Amino acid sequence: MTPTNPNMARTFPPPVMEARRWIEGVHFPPERPLINVSQAAPVAPPPEGLRRAIAEAAMEDDTAHLYGPVLGLPALREEVAAQVSALYGGAVTPAQVAITSGCNQAFAAVMATLAGPGDEVILPVPWYFNHKMWLDMSGVTAVPLATDDELLPSVAAAERLITERTRAIVLVTPNNPGGVEYPADLVAAFHDLARARGLALVLDETYRDFDSRPAPAHHLFEAADWDDTLIHLYSFSKAYRLTGHRVGALLAAPARLAEAEKFLDTVTICPNQLGQRAALWGMRNLSQWLAGERAEILARRAAIETGFATLPGWRLLGAGAYFAYVRHPFAEPADALCRRMVREIGVLALPGTMFRPGDDPAAPRELRIAFANIDAAGIAELFHRLAALGPG
């Protein structure tokens, strides 16, 4: 056998792909189709106006089929800078914005500039599995930071984990997988810790468009030197239903983006050209539509909270944006339970074992449910099926 990179063996198979294999060979009758709450992704295409804009770009803009700037279309970088500045009450320039092939690539690119083999990055648990996977594959140690009963991390606990090898602290808010929205003062406290210890604070706000709070989620961009410590990640996938087009954003100091450009040029050369034009059109034309999408997601969140409050034995640990993170009442571990749920009630969810270290005792008792994938009727049916699930 030819040599293999040992870092690849350090990590686990892609969880969503692993879960999809659980439905192979299982029959789902028409009266009880599969309810897939495993992956956080819109199941509908973009609105018609956006699809027409993509088609028009494909037919009429020859440059949409050519290589573009590695750090993204200048017009899109300018629009991101302007809208982030307005949203957070700060000052962001286009030179502090890069466009990436999805938010996962934004994370990978910035981590490539921050940490190398043997370095450490602090991740709250339960963590977003792709963050953990990239660190594993890079030879970087993911240091788990425990969270409390409300799935919120402690600044004091994080400080105790910092060593001479620590390079960054990563926060995701609204959280994946927990759904919780980190309070602004907690985000600020983590920022202060990172600044004091010379670390980067990597703040992933993929789901910010579905935050329930009317005010800015934090005030970090108000500082004139915000890019000394803060690195901000964003995704257009959820806001405009562009998951297949792979468009994300990375906001950081221009010097760091120059380093990230080396990674991005090597991996993809440039972000998807049609996807970038779609994101730009969406930012300029879909604010009212996006407000409606947010209202719908918040209504689904309310239905989830109501449903779990009446479901015997289950406990809702966190809910928000696209996710509910729950504790199940059964004796069997979560990975076995999720497989049984596919067979017995036609529900595909992800177990907590995919979001925590292997030796974490909480992992076998937890599940993530991506409720944004199902409408009100689907949520009602989900609870009907969960209520019918007996002990293994």
Side-chain angles (χ1 to χ4, degrees):
M1 182 176 178
T2 57
T4 57
N5 182 346
N7 286 336
M8 300 300 290
R10 293 178 63 197
T11 201
F12 38 83
V16 171
M17 297 299 101
E18 178 71 14
R20 286 183 182 179
R21 286 188 277 271
W22 300 344
I23 66 176
E24 293 176 0
V26 180
H27 174 66
F28 303 101
E31 66 274 13
R32 199 193 68 180
L34 176 70
I35 296 178
N36 187 348
V37 288
S38 66
Q39 187 173 23
V43 294
E48 182 178 346
L50 180 51
R51 282 180 281 164
R52 290 189 181 278
I54 295 172
E56 182 178 337
M59 293 299 296
E60 300 182 10
D61 185 351
D62 291 347
T63 64
H65 305 284
L66 307 177
Y67 286 142
V70 176
L71 294 183
L73 293 177
L76 182 54
R77 296 173 71 186
E78 291 169 7
E79 191 69 28
V80 170
Q83 292 204 17
V84 170
S85 297
L87 176 63
Y88 293 95
V92 178
T93 68
Q96 294 167 307
V97 178
I99 306 303
T100 60
S101 299
C103 195
N104 270 10
Q105 190 187 67
F107 180 84
V110 78
M111 282 301 159
T113 76
L114 283 168
D119 288 337
E120 300 173 353
V121 170
I122 295 173
L123 297 184
V125 289
W127 50 38
Y128 173 43
F129 46 69
N130 283 150
H131 287 173
K132 173 63 163 58
M133 292 175 71
W134 178 257
L135 296 176
D136 289 346
M137 290 185 283
S138 302
V140 178
T141 299
V143 178
L145 171 61
T147 52
D148 62 18
D149 289 342
E150 296 180 331
L151 299 182
L152 295 175
S154 160
V155 175
E159 186 166 22
R160 291 192 292 270
L161 295 175
I162 295 173
T163 73
E164 63 180 12
R165 303 299 298 175
T166 306
R167 298 293 178 260
I169 301 170
V170 178
L171 301 180
V172 183
T173 179
N175 187 253
N176 178 4
V180 295
E181 299 164 354
Y182 288 4
D185 59 353
L186 179 63
V187 173
F190 269 100
H191 176 270
D192 291 345
L193 172 62
R195 179 191 290 271
R197 299 300 293 268
L199 308 176
L201 176 66
V202 179
L203 188 62
D204 184 335
E205 292 191 274
T206 291
Y207 300 94
R208 74 168 185 225
D209 299 292
F210 309 101
D211 196 303
S212 66
R213 297 167 290 186
H218 57 81
H219 303 282
L220 301 186
F221 284 110
E222 294 179 7
D225 60 349
W226 66 264
D227 64 1
D228 283 352
T229 301
L230 176 64
I231 297 171
H232 184 269
L233 312 181
Y234 177 67
S235 171
F236 300 94
S237 296
K238 310 307 188 293
Y240 305 118
R241 302 179 185 169
L242 292 173
T243 51
H245 292 276
R246 311 310 305 133
V247 192
L250 164 60
L251 279 63
R256 185 166 301 282
L257 296 185
E259 293 300 301
E261 187 175 32
K262 302 173 185 177
F263 176 93
L264 297 169
D265 181 65
T266 304
V267 175
T268 52
I269 299 179
C270 68
N272 181 289
Q273 292 279 45
L274 288 175
Q276 289 185 88
R277 285 158 174 79
L280 179 59
W281 193 93
M283 295 190 81
R284 289 174 172 173
N285 296 279
L286 291 179
S287 59
Q288 186 174 354
W289 176 86
L290 184 54
E293 293 289 286
R294 174 179 177 271
E296 173 62 24
I297 292 299
L298 293 180
R300 295 181 190 185
R301 170 182 171 175
I304 285 287
E305 291 171 338
T306 298
F308 275 109
T310 60
L311 192 63
W314 293 77
R315 181 184 172 193
L316 181 63
L317 301 175
Y322 273 37
F323 305 107
Y325 201 73
V326 302
R327 184 171 296 156
H328 70 80
F330 302 106
E332 66 198 295
D335 51 349
L337 174 64
C338 285
R339 290 178 174 86
R340 184 163 68 88
M341 286 168 57
V342 169
R343 299 190 305 271
E344 295 186 5
I345 62 171
V347 172
L348 180 64
L350 297 187
T353 48
M354 292 179 171
F355 302 99
R356 291 184 181 270
D359 59 354
D360 191 322
R365 303 175 62 197
E366 298 170 348
L367 307 178
R368 188 192 77 173
I369 294 173
F371 63 79
N373 297 1
I374 49 177
D375 59 14
I379 291 173
E381 176 63 16
L382 171 67
F383 282 112
H384 175 74
R385 296 190 193 183
L386 290 177
L389 185 64

